[in-house]
Amino acid sequence: MRRSGKTFILSFVLLALSGPVNAGWREVTNLPAAVSDAVAAAVDGGLYVMSGAPGRGLRQFFEFYDTKNDGWRPLTPMPASVWRFSLATGNGQLFVTGGRDQATGDMSSEVWMYTPQSALWVELPALPQARAGHASVFADGNLYLLGGVGEKSARVLRYVSRLGRWEHVGDPMPETVANAAWTKKGSLLIVAGGVRPDGRDSKIVQAFNVDTLKWSRLASLPQASSGGALGVVEGVLHYAGGFSQSAQKVLARHLSYSGKGWRDLAPMPQGRHQMAYAGSGTQFFIIGGALGGGFYSLFTGSNRAHVFTKETSSDGK
């Protein structure tokens, strides 16, 4: 009995020292509606979150999340019924590019700009080729599109706002992927994971330099996946969630990149993919997304929102 008591005490101490399973993560005010496929764009003081879903009669979700006051505010819906579009912000405006028609599934070449001050949507010059499931990032005063599916999706597209036109720039994407995670870090536009043209998941992490218009490679993810989240927290890349085709599993895994490789941190409280996300400063937001994989992803949307904060993380760095 004495030996059993010591074992119990030791186990209790080890459990206490290990900290909470999801250290660094906390839940914030949930979405007003569950969304299985969403995108986000970060601005000072909050996040713009949009979602579309296939099928007739389904409305677009478009709201602003106030990170300071932890609350949601509805916004003027986009005058186009699309999903799997991409969202980026720059010069005080939002840009929605491409996607698929909600009713037919056909790819779109439409481009829309939203001005928060006037709450108005304006249609911009269309993409040279329709594209969906791509990454979009605003950098050096221009809008860049990377990857996705569609004709010439391996080519990087740049919208020169002062000229009001699209152009192909730089080298082709080394491995074209759709439904990848992306973020901006300095002059690098980074794309992680995604679905390859052969339909399989990728673990490759690719970076496009907007100064040199050249591609480079970072260390690959430890597990191939698509639909994950990528952000920068205190200058460090973080990757979370996604869906693994090989394991047929929605992931809750959370990784950070040290410059040499990826390492595991405390997992997300809820595994998800195709969620809205944004990582900047000291916080990494994960909002909505699908809880199920494949066909079931459309019917398993989540309304939960979580934030990872570096100051409370378990890695101590």
Side-chain angles (χ1 to χ4, degrees):
M1 293 296 293
R2 188 181 301 119
R3 186 174 182 180
S4 176
K6 288 181 178 179
T7 302
F8 173 78
I9 293 172
L10 179 60
S11 299
F12 179 81
V13 171
L14 289 174
L15 180 62
L17 290 175
S18 66
V21 174
N22 304 114
W25 292 96
R26 63 182 174 87
E27 192 160 7
V28 295
T29 299
N30 290 338
L31 284 161
V35 292
S36 60
D37 192 309
V39 290
V43 295
D44 290 339
L47 308 173
Y48 289 95
V49 177
M50 296 186 70
S51 176
R56 296 182 182 276
L58 296 178
R59 72 178 184 89
Q60 294 282 347
F61 177 92
F62 183 34
E63 299 212 4
F64 180 78
Y65 173 67
D66 186 329
T67 54
K68 182 179 180 181
N69 298 306
D70 189 24
W72 292 90
R73 173 166 52 90
L75 301 170
T76 305
M78 182 173 62
S81 298
V82 291
W83 68 300
R84 287 291 163 90
F85 50 80
S86 193
L87 176 68
T89 181
N91 289 344
Q93 296 163 319
L94 273 71
F95 300 88
V96 176
T97 53
R100 291 185 179 275
D101 184 273
Q102 282 186 330
T104 66
D106 294 338
M107 285 192 295
S108 171
S109 61
E110 292 183 355
V111 180
W112 292 89
M113 180 180 72
Y114 177 78
T115 303
Q117 290 80 1
S118 60
L120 292 177
W121 287 94
V122 177
E123 192 167 7
L124 297 179
L127 304 175
Q129 297 87 25
R131 192 178 292 209
H134 54 285
S136 65
V137 186
F138 198 89
D140 68 4
N142 301 305
L143 179 64
Y144 290 83
L145 271 57
L146 308 96
V149 293
E151 186 182 353
K152 297 184 179 180
S153 59
R155 298 297 308 277
V156 177
L157 267 178
R158 179 171 66 186
Y159 180 70
V160 185
S161 53
R162 61 184 176 82
L163 300 177
R165 73 182 186 197
W166 291 94
E167 60 185 11
H168 290 104
V169 295
D171 296 334
M173 198 173 195
E175 180 177 80
T176 307
V177 288
N179 302 331
W182 70 88
T183 193
K184 178 179 180 291
K185 187 175 188 291
S187 60
L188 297 180
L189 311 183
I190 304 171
V191 180
V195 180
R196 305 182 323 206
D198 63 5
R200 296 188 177 185
D201 288 338
S202 172
K203 62 170 63 176
I204 289 178
V205 181
Q206 310 171 77
F208 182 76
N209 190 311
V210 296
D211 294 332
T212 65
L213 304 183
K214 300 288 186 181
W215 286 92
S216 60
R217 287 270 300 271
L218 279 64
S220 295
L221 297 169
Q223 183 175 11
S225 61
S226 62
L230 189 67
V232 180
V233 183
E234 287 290 334
V236 176
L237 280 176
H238 284 246
Y239 182 90
F243 178 73
S244 167
Q245 289 190 43
S246 60
Q248 283 296 296
K249 181 181 179 181
V250 177
L251 306 175
R253 197 171 189 178
H254 174 206
L255 308 162
S256 70
Y257 182 72
S258 65
K260 296 181 180 179
W262 297 89
R263 69 188 189 93
D264 283 287
L265 299 179
M268 296 192 301
Q270 182 187 53
R272 280 173 280 175
H273 66 116
Q274 300 296 351
M275 57 283 204
Y277 59 87
S280 61
T282 61
Q283 296 180 313
F284 188 25
F285 287 90
I286 304 291
I287 300 170
L291 304 175
F295 172 80
Y296 298 101
S297 65
L298 300 177
F299 312 102
T300 56
S302 172
N303 72 331
R304 297 180 68 185
H306 293 94
V307 59
F308 174 84
T309 306
K310 188 175 187 298
E311 284 85 355
T312 59
S313 69
S314 60
D315 61 353
K317 294 184 179 180

